[in-house]
Amino acid sequence: MSNLGIDLWGAAFQAVSFLCLMAIPWTDGRVRLFVGLLAGAGILTILLFQYYIGLETGDSALGFELIIVTLSNVVLFFLASWGVERLFRLYLLKRQQKKGPPPSGS
């Protein structure tokens, strides 16, 4: 497999992991649990790989810097997704209250 193929699969794996992370606030019940487990496993794998990069290059500071950047991205992406979900929910609730109750049929 060429380096382009490995880089492409790595980028796709990271994208899916972060999309699952961002989907956690938007889901509910068992789906939330499943998406959370996928996101957690993906992020953990990414962090372990970055630690491995630091060990292989002989520069543990590089590995820890990569880990800190990834953890910062995890927090940023999750909080941004959670914030957008809350704003969207408030908008829908306010819109529903403006409509008023449905008229009674009989």
Side-chain angles (χ1 to χ4, degrees):
M1 185 176 268
S2 69
N3 282 342
L4 176 64
I6 292 171
D7 291 341
L8 185 62
W9 281 108
F13 179 78
Q14 189 166 355
V16 168
S17 298
F18 274 89
L19 285 174
C20 286
L21 177 76
M22 291 170 39
I24 292 172
W26 296 87
T27 57
D28 196 22
R30 290 181 188 243
V31 175
R32 178 178 281 182
L33 179 64
F34 179 71
V35 170
L37 287 174
L38 279 177
I43 299 299
L44 182 63
T45 304
I46 292 167
L47 292 174
L48 289 173
F49 182 70
Q50 290 174 342
Y51 180 71
Y52 173 75
I53 289 173
L55 289 178
E56 281 298 307
T57 59
D59 188 5
S60 60
L62 171 67
F64 286 121
E65 286 178 11
L66 289 172
I67 288 171
I68 289 172
V69 168
T70 300
L71 289 176
S72 300
N73 284 337
V74 165
V75 170
L76 177 72
F77 277 64
F78 181 77
L79 289 178
S81 179
W82 181 72
V84 169
E85 188 270 338
R86 291 293 166 197
L87 289 174
F88 188 66
R89 183 183 300 257
L90 287 173
Y91 167 74
L92 289 179
L93 288 173
K94 187 176 276 192
R95 195 172 127 192
Q96 186 179 24
Q97 287 175 352
K98 281 185 180 179
K99 280 186 175 180
S104 59
S106 311

